[in-house]
Amino acid sequence: MDYRTKLCFCRDIYDQRASDRTFMEAVRRNVDCHLLKCKDYRRILGSRGFSRSDGQRVMNAGEVPCIPTLFFKYHDLYSVPEASMVIKATSSGTGGVKSRIGFDKKSLFFAGVAAGRVIARHGLFSVRPVHYVILGFPPGKENQTAISRTQRLSTMFAPALSRKYALRKGKHGYRPDFNGLLEALRRYGRGNAPVRIIGFPAYLYFLLKEMERNRIFIRLPKHSMIMAGGGWKQFYKETVDKRELYRLGERHLGIPESHFREFFGAVEHPGVYCDCPNHHFHIPVTSRVVIRDVDTLEPVGYGTTGLVNLISPLVESMPLVSILTDDLGVLHRGCECGCGIEAPYLEIIGRTGVPEIRTCAAGAEEVLKEAGRSALR
């Protein structure tokens, strides 16, 4: 039996206490796999005084040396031949600064099972057909970003009656189709089929603000939903309180707060985090999160802000077992939430603002500005 099987098929996807021993065994075996198969990973960990014997003895996920996501934007780090990877994706960026991530069949399978169980736990799978509105780029050969693939996969949670993308390609690249988007939303509002709106919180916010400026009110059918993901990226200065998003969503689209779902993740990490009814990102059994001091990188305790270190042993194609993001976050005890899930939850505070790090929302600023201009024509 593969060491990842027991972890992915555990009884409760959020029961970390029952899975601690299984998780750490999977981490040890995953680290050992990469140390054997990836000489660059072996060299990186060796430079930190970490050997195979150390990896076989780790008792805490925070003991595994983490690799910054920025490293993957400049270096390929593979533990299997590229030819054996069945799917590849990149993070978005400018100037060629992108992470290139690949999954072999087994890694893709286990990552998919883990994600599917989280999504099912939060009731996002449905047999009721829906219309999808995607606040992003349509799929295409020139667009192989992970966020584009993720958004496409999100339209498979329920049968798709239609897919409307907010951006369309013209002679001069992608441009927002704000009027077409509003026309589609109005049309959906006159029907009975629910609508699921998918996109970055920033995209959603700017759309709703344009609707507010132009006093546009649409009431979408019952069971409609907003599924936001990807964070605010370089728009962190424009970040608004989630309650403002909920207010605007209900006022202008008729979607209540209870039908708002947010996701968190990173292209370099196989885990998926979906917020609970209290809008907290609880950590599933297939992952752990360590918060590290921004100066020393030493782990800090609950309630302290630091860099988010994501840990998961599900991928064997690349050493993604422990990656250090440029997100700032706080880890809280599960009992502080009140939703009934006892696993700790992650609160995202913002980003470090390192100028070299380009995100999946790169280039979105001009697109959103154009959307604003289009709305007023």
Side-chain angles (χ1 to χ4, degrees):
M1 179 187 295
D2 191 290
Y3 62 89
R4 295 164 288 186
T5 301
K6 188 176 179 181
L7 191 61
C8 287
F9 290 95
C10 64
R11 179 173 296 181
D12 184 347
I13 196 64
Y14 283 114
D15 191 352
Q16 285 199 2
R17 289 183 181 178
S19 70
D20 272 339
R21 183 175 298 179
T22 302
F23 181 83
M24 285 312 307
E25 175 61 22
V27 166
R28 286 190 288 269
R29 294 182 64 174
N30 190 257
V31 169
D32 195 57
C33 168
H34 294 301
L35 286 173
L36 278 172
K37 297 180 179 181
C38 182
K39 64 179 182 180
D40 288 333
Y41 183 65
R42 191 161 58 246
R43 187 180 300 121
I44 291 169
L45 266 60
S47 70
R48 303 184 190 180
F50 192 92
S51 65
R52 277 192 69 193
S53 59
D54 293 320
Q56 292 164 356
R57 291 194 301 265
V58 292
M59 298 302 295
N60 185 290
E63 296 174 19
V64 179
C66 52
I67 299 178
T69 54
L70 183 60
F71 181 89
F72 294 95
K73 298 179 187 297
Y74 290 96
H75 304 279
D76 291 335
L77 204 59
Y78 300 146
S79 298
V80 299
E82 274 194 84
S84 67
M85 295 182 183
V86 295
I87 188 171
K88 298 177 184 177
T90 66
S91 61
S92 295
T94 57
V97 184
K98 302 179 182 181
S99 296
R100 296 200 312 137
I101 305 301
F103 290 83
D104 62 287
K105 287 183 180 179
K106 282 191 174 182
S107 297
L108 184 62
F109 170 75
F110 287 115
V113 169
R117 294 201 60 194
V118 169
I119 292 162
R121 174 65 180 268
H122 292 279
L124 297 180
F125 287 124
S126 174
V127 296
R128 182 185 292 113
V130 304
H131 294 288
Y132 288 99
V133 172
I134 300 96
L135 304 179
F137 296 89
K141 291 182 179 179
E142 72 284 357
N143 184 16
Q144 297 297 320
T145 60
I147 189 64
S148 177
R149 290 174 180 269
T150 300
Q151 289 176 345
R152 179 72 178 183
L153 286 171
S154 298
T155 67
M156 297 179 185
F157 295 172
L161 291 171
S162 65
R163 294 181 178 91
K164 173 65 179 177
Y165 287 85
L167 303 175
R168 64 180 179 184
K169 191 175 183 180
K171 293 182 179 179
H172 305 290
Y174 288 98
R175 289 290 181 268
D177 183 18
F178 190 81
N179 292 329
L181 190 62
L182 285 178
E183 181 183 343
L185 287 170
R186 290 191 178 101
R187 185 169 64 252
Y188 300 154
R190 293 191 293 269
N192 296 318
V195 178
R196 291 192 175 191
I197 299 174
I198 301 168
F200 287 103
Y203 282 54
L204 174 66
Y205 176 66
F206 287 115
L207 168 66
L208 292 172
K209 288 299 288 185
E210 287 303 323
M211 293 181 72
E212 185 176 55
R213 290 190 191 97
N214 292 278
R215 298 189 61 78
I216 298 171
F217 303 93
I218 299 171
R219 190 149 196 96
L220 295 177
K222 186 179 179 181
H223 303 300
S224 291
M225 181 179 292
I226 291 172
M227 298 191 298
W232 287 77
K233 306 302 183 186
Q234 72 263 43
F235 295 105
Y236 66 93
K237 291 183 179 178
E238 287 82 15
T239 301
V240 298
D241 189 274
K242 291 181 181 181
R243 286 186 290 270
E244 175 65 3
L245 271 181
Y246 307 149
R247 183 189 71 81
L248 290 170
E250 184 160 15
R251 176 173 168 78
H252 293 280
L253 295 171
I255 298 178
E257 177 185 338
S258 60
H259 287 194
F260 188 106
R261 284 290 177 268
E262 187 174 4
F263 294 89
F264 169 75
V267 66
E268 301 86 358
H269 176 68
V272 173
Y273 305 86
C274 178
D275 67 347
C276 69
N278 292 336
H279 305 296
H280 294 141
F281 296 118
H282 291 271
I283 315 301
V285 301
T286 51
S287 303
R288 294 294 186 273
V289 174
V290 173
I291 304 298
R292 296 185 179 275
D293 184 273
V294 295
D295 294 317
T296 67
L297 295 187
E298 290 298 316
V300 298
Y302 289 107
T304 302
T305 301
L307 290 168
V308 176
N309 175 195
L310 301 174
I311 300 165
S312 180
L314 299 184
V315 178
E316 286 194 347
S317 52
M318 300 181 67
L320 304 177
V321 58
S322 181
I323 61 116
L324 185 68
T325 74
D326 59 320
D327 291 298
L328 293 172
V330 179
L331 198 62
H332 298 273
R333 292 180 174 85
C335 60
E336 297 175 21
C337 175
C339 74
I341 298 176
E342 295 184 359
Y345 65 88
L346 174 65
E347 176 187 2
I348 299 297
I349 303 298
R351 299 177 74 84
T352 59
V354 178
E356 290 86 1
I357 296 178
R358 310 301 299 179
T359 71
C360 291
E365 184 173 11
E366 287 305 313
V367 168
L368 291 171
K369 286 180 180 177
E370 178 63 24
R373 290 192 289 267
S374 298
L376 298 175
R377 288 172 186 164

